[in-house]
Amino acid sequence: MGSSTDRHPGEILRQLPQVDRLLVDPLFAPLIDEHSRAEVLEQIRMVLDDLRARGAKGQITSDDVEPSAIEKMVRVGLTLAAIPYYRPVINATGVVLHTGLGRSPIAPEVADQLGERVRHPLRVEIEPETGQRGGRDEGCAALLRELTGAEAATVVNNNAGATLLLLSALAKDKKVLLSRGEMVEIGGSFRIPDIMELGGAKLAGVGTTNRTHAADYENAVDDDVAMILKVHTSNYRVIGFTEEVDIDTLCEIGRRTQRAVVHDLGSGCLVDLAARGRPGESLVRDSVAAGCDLVCFSGDKLLGGPQSGIIVGTKKAVDKCRKHPLYRALRPCRLTYVALEATLRIYRAGPDAAIARIPALGRLLATAESLEPRAEALAAALHGIKGLATQIEPHGALAGSGSLPTREIESRAVRLTSDRHSATEFAALLRRGARPIFPIVRDDVVRLDVRTFDDEDVPVIAAKVREIFG
Ligand SMILES: *Cc1c(COP(=O)(O)O)cnc(C)c1O
């Protein structure tokens, strides 16, 4: 074999094998078997292009143009190309419901059921008794009625869709009263005033940013008003000299003035988190009991299920939503119904079962002390890597996705200090490959919050860090 100094790059490039020759070279046969001729061909072309580019800069040796060297690069390229875009990652950010990482993880038992059922035709919108069409969302609706105490329920693609639908169905061309303290913008350009305009409703602000009183609503009710809307201030809190009107009072005003009252809860809790040390979110059941016409919330926030928008309330109001043309446009995928039904069934077993079996709840409610063994296991697994120092530290985790806003949850993180990489470089290396790890990078330090991953992820993280320090 040649060495790097023996020949001129131009001369080396002339040794570059032809694509056609490589494709019939027995070296490449196993790759073609494993992948396909088309994929191998694409990768060979890319590798040859790369070699030509490097050759033009004088950066290749005659070893690089050997078919065996090309085969190695093609193999690496094929492996990288086979990594799916939507790949499993390890969430070490300490943000339990991380929108960038798909919000709430699906419970393992729910994932198993999904895996089994997606392969078969599914009873979705048909009555087995009669063979007649109907009942598309009834599987979830029955459970939602039971779990929230509502008279009726339905499901759409997400809570933004739910809000749009209920405004269109109940308040088109009419005014909707909303406190100026609740004109929220949720991440990803979801602004309540915009959704209202899109739904054809007219926003009528009441009160001021920091204080809204019951009388403000009462005085604003005129002939044009169809709805009183309350929106959970998911990603901020108004603190200081503040006042807001609770949902019971709004429902009382609604009854008296015969206007619809709607509560957009954002997160939609079915278990009492405040009683378990995580205040800040009200229960769906409480808003229903207060007498709301409709209550809407997300399926993939604190509920711990698939992306979906859930609407519960009176039969009359829910039926109006179901009959609206937008309902068809916002209809979820059958996989959503399967995952949501399976998640809701877990709640039937009671709050303790839900916390034990739904990862989003378990991760949110875990005490800092209960996380220490995992932090210690991770630090131990990383022990002895040359160039790496680890330290267990307290860390402020977050619920995320606009749940329990601005309330830090005492957590534990492992701080990783590399003497070879900057924090940014180190984090980028952690995020590379088939199973990226998403760390916290702050103040030029890399930390892994152990609240948001599982014990079984510890060896995976350790293997990756060892690979980085090779
Ligand atoms: C998150 C949130 C939404 C949007 O819900 P998606 O399910 O993300 O569409 C709407 N309203 C409030 C108050 C929220 O917190």
Side-chain angles (χ1 to χ4, degrees), residues 103 158-161 163 184 186 190 192 231-232 234 264-267 298 300-301 308 401-402:
R103 285 201 186 154
N158 52 34
N159 193 28
T163 315
V184 307
I186 316 288
F190 173 89
I192 289 286
V231 178
H232 179 58
S234 293
D264 175 4
L265 279 173
S267 265
S298 296
D300 57 352
K301 291 184 180 172
S308 47
S401 284

Side-chain angles (χ1 to χ4, degrees), residues 206-222:
V206 296
T208 61
T209 306
N210 57 329
R211 286 171 74 86
T212 303
H213 310 276
D216 294 327
Y217 288 96
E218 284 177 77
N219 295 337
V221 176
D222 62 23

Side-chain angles (χ1 to χ4, degrees), residues 101-116:
L101 307 180
R103 285 201 186 154
S104 85
I106 297 288
E109 63 192 274
V110 173
D112 289 346
Q113 293 184 43
L114 265 177
E116 277 164 32

